[in-house]
Amino acid sequence: MSNPGDYFYGWDLLYKTIEKDINKKDDLLIALAHFVLTKYSQFRCIGLGEDKILMEDEEVSGSELLPDNWNIDENNYALRYIYDKQLYILLGLRTEDSLIITLLNVKTRKVSNICLSPEEIVNDIRGSVTKMIPSASQLADRYRRELLEPVYQGQNKSTTTQTNTTSTTTDQSDPLRIGMPMHPPVGQYHPVGVEPRPFGFPEVGRGDLDPLGRGGHGNLFPFPSHPEFRVGPGSSGGMQPRFDPYGPQPERNLRPNPNPDHLQPPNFGGDYFM
């Protein structure tokens, strides 16, 4: 954050209300997490406990202050918050050397957590925020990124959306591609998932990718529309199977002698029985 002084504006008021209750370093870390929730995202604390049922009167209540007896348990913390009529529960669990803080969105069931070492982070439990927690700015940023944002979008929703849109556009680009592929002419079909032909190469084999044959003839050459290849009398021609005429057909004059298909092999001696 660019100006820690501006961000922690309001911390002194919160600290004055709980100073007499703070008796260990864990309390200070929970208090700072509470400050980030109420300061950064306008959460309102509605009391203690892990009750996941939100009452109607609680939807319009809440405060930026910590409730009485918020740290009465020696090793556990449980605070309930509301924002936009959604219930959030902040839990703190003390292990041997660490404090695990968890935030739950009751409606979406999204959960985030962060593990801290109070002995390493907190220098003192009395004094200014930077004296008690020298890395207060960095810790507040961790609370925001690791604890708050995974379960709550809120004010930074537009920023996150803009970042995702930019990254999506970047991911779709191919670093190995030289220039953009040529787009197919209007009306030309391309199977789903198949890029248009690049660099103007012919569409050889493209139609084989489409089971309906909409991409052309594939690896097969088109059948010519020639009278020689008509099937049966009165046929309209077009794409028909090849049909070789048989028998003498002088009137058609399609294969005048010598017929290339009937030429004798080289050095053929004329003995038809060999």
Side-chain angles (χ1 to χ4, degrees):
M1 60 190 65
S2 58
N3 192 339
D6 292 342
Y7 185 86
F8 286 105
Y9 181 79
W11 164 261
D12 290 339
L13 178 60
L14 173 65
Y15 180 74
K16 291 297 182 182
T17 62
I18 61 174
E19 183 177 9
K20 65 181 185 303
D21 300 326
I22 294 179
N23 50 46
K24 55 184 181 297
K25 295 181 177 181
D26 296 16
D27 296 342
L28 199 60
L29 295 178
I30 293 294
L32 183 60
H34 168 88
F35 176 79
V36 172
L37 295 180
T38 56
K39 167 79 175 184
Y40 182 77
S41 299
Q42 286 76 52
F43 276 40
R44 300 193 311 272
C45 186
I46 57 176
L48 305 175
E50 303 180 34
D51 188 3
K52 297 179 177 60
I53 299 177
L54 185 63
M55 301 298 180
E56 292 184 1
D57 58 338
E58 292 179 324
E59 294 182 1
V60 294
S61 62
S63 172
E64 72 280 6
L65 300 178
L66 282 164
D68 296 336
N69 302 320
W70 63 277
N71 61 341
I72 192 172
D73 195 305
E74 189 67 22
N75 298 315
N76 295 281
Y77 302 86
L79 298 168
R80 301 170 73 238
Y81 295 86
I82 186 174
Y83 178 81
D84 195 22
K85 297 183 179 181
Q86 292 191 28
L87 179 63
Y88 296 81
I89 299 179
L90 181 72
L91 302 175
L93 174 63
R94 174 70 183 198
T95 61
E96 292 183 359
D97 300 319
S98 303
L99 176 66
I100 301 175
I101 304 177
T102 302
L103 183 62
L104 166 67
N105 184 325
V106 174
K107 181 178 180 179
T108 64
R109 297 183 181 275
K110 291 183 178 180
V111 180
S112 63
N113 57 74
I114 185 172
C115 184
L116 305 173
S117 177
E119 297 300 327
E120 296 179 3
I121 297 176
V122 181
N123 284 353
D124 199 346
I125 60 174
R126 297 290 184 268
S128 65
V129 63
T130 54
K131 176 185 176 183
M132 295 183 293
I133 307 176
S135 60
S137 298
Q138 292 79 5
L139 181 57
D141 190 58
R142 286 191 62 190
Y143 280 151
R144 179 177 56 83
R145 291 183 292 105
E146 301 176 30
L147 193 66
L148 180 60
E149 290 183 356
V151 300
Y152 164 79
Q153 296 296 330
Q155 293 178 343
N156 63 330
K157 181 176 181 180
S158 59
T159 305
T160 304
T161 303
Q162 182 177 2
T163 303
N164 291 340
T165 303
T166 305
S167 62
T168 302
T169 305
T170 305
D171 294 340
Q172 291 178 347
S173 62
D174 186 355
L176 300 180
R177 175 176 291 167
I178 302 177
M180 296 301 293
M182 297 179 61
H183 294 284
V186 177
Q188 183 173 343
Y189 171 80
H190 284 276
V192 177
V194 178
E195 288 285 342
R197 56 189 179 96
F199 311 116
F201 289 129
E203 295 284 356
V204 176
R206 180 75 66 173
D208 291 343
L209 302 177
D210 179 26
L212 300 180
R214 290 171 292 185
H217 308 288
N219 289 329
L220 299 177
F221 290 101
F223 299 106
S225 300
H226 192 279
E228 179 183 359
F229 304 106
R230 294 176 179 174
V231 180
S235 176
S236 60
M239 296 180 60
Q240 302 290 341
R242 176 169 176 167
F243 178 77
D244 289 329
Y246 56 88
Q249 297 179 352
E251 70 281 0
R252 299 182 64 183
N253 196 25
L254 295 178
R255 295 187 178 183
N257 292 324
N259 191 330
D261 292 340
H262 297 166
L263 290 180
Q264 297 177 351
N267 301 324
F268 185 73
D271 190 348
Y272 292 95
F273 298 97
M274 292 184 64

